[in-house]
Amino acid sequence: MCGIFAYTGGRNAKPILLEGLSMLEYRGYDSAGLYLSDQGVTRTPGAVTELRAKATGESSAKSGLAHLRWATHGEPTEENAHPHTDCDSNVYIAHNGIIENFNELKQGLIARGHTFKSKTDTEVLAHMIEEELKADKSFEDAVVDTLKKVHGTYGLLISYAKEPETIITARMGSPIVLGIGKGERFIASDATPIVKHTKKMVFLEDGDIAIVTPDSHRIRTLKEASVDRKEEEISWDVGEASRGGYPHFMLKEIFEAPEVLENALRGRLIVNEGRAKLGGLESVAKQLEKLDRLMITACGTAYYAGLIGEYLIEDLAGLPVEVDVGSEFRYRKPIIGKKTAVLAVSQSGETLDTLEAMREGKRRGALTLGVVNAVGSTIARETDAGVYNHAGPEIGVASTKAFLSQVTVLALIALFLGRARSLSEEDGKKIVKALMELPELSKKVLAKSDAIKALALKYKDARDFLFIGRRYSYPVALEGALKLKETSYVHAEGCAAGEMKHGPLAMIDNKFPTVVVIPMDSVYQKTLSNMIEIKTRKGPVIAIATEGDVRVAEIADDVIYVPKTEEQLTPILSAIALQLFAYHFAAEKGLNVDRPRNLAKSVTVE
Ligand code: AGP
């Protein structure tokens, strides 16, 4: 998720663009760039401070493009920063999204003599528009005919040196907002950098293309030359705008679940073969086939995702898996054989304990793999191979969307390994079908946010919580407890449901609620018995159950129903419900949900 901003009007564009871009730093911050018609392009690793330092010199340009990158294709370097341009530096492009078919398009362009300067997917578009312009098409037609050949997601800003006042923007999957001022126009990935200048906005829809000049904007689609889009008056302040109107980044990031799940799955499923396609693992596919043991290492929420990965990979690929927290793995002298791989799971890719654990595995001869969100981060760079989450930057310290993406990617890895081993095409197809349904199913859980808020209010005075679950739901219970602990500072303990009677049950009384994660899966009856054990001790029970399960409602005090899916994927839907519960519980207490006390987003110390 990158931040893009453009301006065309009567004022000097440079200060407007740099200030606006700094408000978008929560969207991405690994590299930045600026295009001004009288200064050309300035690009730099780092964020706006570095760009400001580099983009010296006076500019009187009245229009320009700016971009803040969150790398997906190509490491965060100066060459890969946006805007990108064509062979003759006539066309300038800033892009937020992923062009899926960029490689085949690129090979065709290279064969026709184009020279590429970056490793990005985006640069392809500049060269395609260049070709259309050379075929004597108008700027508008050149863009439209180019987009007809493109697959993927984009929020685009395009400038043409020969028409500096005109900016063309297009939306497919990534947000674009148009700001309407007097004799000036603003275009951005969200309202944040615009609300300061004007409250009049048009939110483009997927498939929209807008041709924008200082005094006008016309919206069209690939098929229709003109479509109407309503103008809205936005009352948000800058803070609200950066949170997309949500009161906290944590809630915004929970509600990003559908897009995050789609981004984790995009281009990675071979539906008719029931397989997963993971480009980042292809270079080590041979070694992966011979693996006889996988050791997963991670910390905090990522560790709980790793625990679910253990169930998934043993279940679907029959490969023995061990999971350990980074801070223990690095000092426990792990036994590593020639056919052992160590998989590090990390949102930031910089967590020191996980990094050092991975390095320990490498020192002992293991193949090292990564599931990482931050492109170009240390763990991503030092592992032999891996899979990126593409979940976009996660601002809230309490990890939410990254957890969903980590579990989804681990399910893809289990499918990838399983189909290379004993998993049948039929079973593979079942998992693929269920994975593809997740984005829509997640919306059903999100729709229960208000009901979950009411539940959090009902239990707001509780000082202790127990979270229990079995099999895939056990790590979910651990994660639910962690979310409540780190956002609202109450005592919350996660426990394997079967372990309860070996101690934790002693804590239970009518003031000690238990959250039971109980989907209708292979261990449903066992978990139900545990729930009855709690009720017998007068313990209040909140159940996270499968839609249509009437039995559970007869026993539990409160039930949050989530849609049915394959057992292996139930953690993703149950986790959304627990993330919402923790969020509302903490928000109702007026706590700083995005910056909980004593915690940091990326723990780079031991
Ligand atoms: C989770 O909400 C916490 N922020 C923390 O436990 C986190 O998961 C842990 O520090 C690991 O971070 P990473 O995924 O960036 O490696």
Side-chain angles (χ1 to χ4, degrees):
M1 176 165 100
C2 304
I4 60 178
F5 185 37
Y7 172 80
T8 180
R11 295 187 279 161
N12 254 11
K14 189 174 179 180
I16 294 171
L17 290 172
L18 287 172
E19 185 202 35
L21 206 60
S22 66
M23 295 176 190
L24 289 171
E25 279 188 348
Y26 72 91
R27 296 183 67 90
Y29 38 72
D30 60 36
S31 49
L34 179 68
Y35 165 68
L36 295 161
S37 51
D38 61 353
Q39 280 198 340
V41 168
T42 311
R43 298 189 193 94
T44 180
V48 178
T49 314
E50 290 79 10
L51 183 62
R52 229 182 253 289
K54 198 163 180 196
T56 53
E58 285 309 304
S59 163
S60 57
K62 301 286 184 273
S63 66
L65 311 178
H67 183 276
L68 259 170
R69 189 161 187 246
W70 174 263
T72 57
H73 291 72
E75 304 231 335
T77 61
E78 179 179 342
E79 294 70 42
N80 293 334
H82 299 207
H84 289 288
T85 187
D86 62 326
C87 299
D88 308 332
S89 301
N90 274 327
V91 178
Y92 296 86
I93 298 231
H95 170 219
N96 171 26
I98 295 173
I99 306 299
E100 285 171 32
N101 60 338
F102 84 98
N103 214 18
E104 53 261 35
L105 294 167
K106 186 172 181 175
Q107 298 322 314
L109 288 157
I110 291 172
R112 294 192 296 280
H114 289 261
T115 314
F116 280 74
K117 307 176 212 57
S118 78
K119 294 200 178 43
T120 66
D121 51 332
T122 304
E123 189 185 347
V124 157
L125 301 173
H127 294 276
M128 292 171 74
I129 295 168
E130 173 191 3
E131 286 207 333
E132 301 292 348
L133 287 167
K134 284 195 174 137
D136 292 333
K137 290 185 181 161
S138 70
F139 181 22
E140 177 178 341
D141 292 346
V143 171
V144 170
D145 292 350
T146 293
L147 294 180
K148 284 179 180 161
K149 301 176 194 134
V150 166
H151 303 307
T153 62
Y154 50 78
L156 286 173
L157 300 174
I158 309 164
S159 268
Y160 181 32
K162 297 190 179 138
E163 298 175 30
E165 282 203 334
T166 305
I167 296 175
I168 297 185
T169 179
R171 174 196 165 134
M172 183 60 81
S174 302
I176 291 282
V177 186
L178 187 55
I180 300 153
K182 287 198 181 55
E184 55 188 8
R185 296 286 187 279
F186 307 83
I187 311 162
S189 24
D190 66 50
T192 314
I194 300 176
V195 279
K196 172 182 176 194
H197 303 283
T198 175
K199 304 285 184 195
K200 279 205 199 118
M201 312 243 183
V202 177
F203 290 82
L204 295 198
E205 295 172 16
D206 277 350
D208 285 359
I209 301 166
I211 297 88
V212 182
T213 65
D215 299 304
S216 72
H217 59 275
R218 177 167 51 82
I219 302 173
R220 61 163 298 157
T221 65
L222 291 180
K223 294 201 178 67
E224 298 162 270
S226 180
V227 291
D228 285 335
R229 296 287 178 251
K230 81 175 181 332
E231 204 179 280
E232 300 179 43
E233 193 76 23
I234 299 294
S235 59
W236 296 336
D237 64 25
V238 172
E240 280 170 299
S242 66
R243 294 188 301 274
Y246 289 94
H248 296 99
F249 278 108
M250 182 180 176
L251 189 62
K252 174 178 180 281
E253 287 159 2
I254 294 172
F255 272 82
E256 284 178 35
E259 188 191 337
V260 163
L261 294 168
E262 270 163 16
N263 287 349
L265 296 169
R266 181 167 290 110
R268 293 173 168 173
L269 292 172
I270 307 174
V271 180
N272 57 3
E273 295 174 25
R275 285 179 190 284
K277 179 175 171 294
L278 297 170
L281 295 183
E282 272 155 20
S283 62
V284 294
K286 285 266 162 294
Q287 286 152 286
L288 292 176
E289 273 168 27
K290 299 198 191 78
L291 275 190
D292 61 10
R293 187 151 155 263
L294 179 68
M295 305 176 88
I296 299 178
T297 187
C299 302
T301 288
Y303 167 71
Y304 297 140
L307 283 176
I308 297 169
E310 177 180 26
Y311 286 95
L312 283 162
I313 294 167
E314 292 189 343
D315 197 348
L316 300 180
L319 176 67
V321 176
E322 252 179 74
V323 190
D324 206 349
V325 290
S327 52
E328 283 305 314
F329 185 96
R330 58 185 295 197
Y331 295 118
R332 72 165 231 231
K333 296 197 174 68
I335 313 305
I336 299 225
K338 288 215 169 358
K339 298 181 187 167
T340 302
V342 170
L343 169 61
V345 181
S346 175
Q347 187 287 124
S348 62
E350 303 295 350
T351 299
L352 187 63
D353 284 328
T354 307
L355 175 61
E356 287 303 333
M358 182 275 291
R359 286 176 175 161
E360 183 61 25
K362 191 183 270 278
R363 268 192 294 276
R364 289 168 178 268
L367 171 71
T368 56
L369 307 169
V371 171
V372 174
N373 193 35
V375 172
S377 57
T378 311
I379 293 176
R381 275 185 282 111
E382 291 194 13
T383 40
D384 300 312
V387 184
Y388 282 125
N389 287 99
H390 298 317
E394 189 174 62
I395 307 297
V397 166
S399 184
T400 52
K401 63 176 182 176
F403 176 75
L404 304 183
S405 182
Q406 285 159 352
V407 176
T408 306
V409 168
L410 287 163
L412 288 170
I413 291 175
L415 186 60
F416 180 88
L417 295 171
R419 293 289 285 120
R421 291 159 184 264
S422 54
L423 187 68
S424 69
E425 180 174 314
E426 190 200 346
D427 289 343
K429 282 182 174 169
K430 241 186 350 182
I431 296 292
V432 167
K433 181 172 173 296
L435 282 167
M436 292 167 75
E437 291 165 353
L438 283 177
E440 277 312 307
L441 295 181
S442 70
K443 291 178 184 164
K444 294 194 173 161
V445 187
L446 293 171
K448 297 183 189 248
S449 182
D450 291 346
I452 296 173
K453 181 176 177 179
L455 218 50
L457 275 178
K458 175 179 174 185
Y459 289 91
K460 69 178 180 3
D461 300 325
R463 295 290 316 142
D464 305 280
F465 283 84
L466 185 63
F467 286 71
I468 64 170
R470 281 178 180 265
R471 216 165 177 250
Y472 285 93
S473 299
Y474 163 44
V476 178
L478 296 172
E479 172 56 10
L482 176 63
K483 283 285 101 49
L484 196 61
K485 269 184 274 206
E486 65 177 323
T487 52
S488 52
Y489 320 148
V490 297
H491 164 238
E493 185 173 333
C495 164
E499 260 305 284
M500 213 176 39
K501 53 189 174 296
H502 302 290
L505 193 57
M507 298 187 297
I508 298 301
D509 62 22
N510 60 0
K511 291 191 185 57
F512 199 131
T514 300
V515 177
V516 182
V517 185
I518 178 171
M520 292 183 97
D521 60 12
S522 59
V523 285
Y524 172 79
Q525 284 302 337
K526 307 292 180 198
T527 314
L528 201 66
S529 317
N530 297 126
M531 208 157 84
I532 295 167
E533 281 164 12
I534 295 166
K535 287 311 300 170
T536 318
R537 276 91 182 162
K538 307 267 177 291
V541 167
I542 302 166
I544 313 294
T546 303
E547 260 159 19
D549 178 355
V550 288
R551 175 88 182 96
V552 98
E554 291 159 5
I555 300 164
D557 299 271
D558 296 284
V559 184
I560 302 171
Y561 283 110
V562 300
K564 184 165 182 44
T565 183
E566 292 295 332
E567 175 164 357
Q568 291 87 350
L569 303 179
T570 53
I572 291 170
L573 301 177
S574 307
I576 297 172
L578 295 178
Q579 291 169 356
L580 284 168
F581 184 78
Y583 168 77
H584 287 304
F585 194 92
E588 288 309 311
K589 289 181 181 297
L591 296 169
N592 184 346
V593 176
D594 285 339
R595 294 265 170 284
R597 68 187 185 195
N598 310 339
L599 298 181
K601 181 62 189 168
S602 178
V603 183
T604 53
V605 293
E606 209 180 334

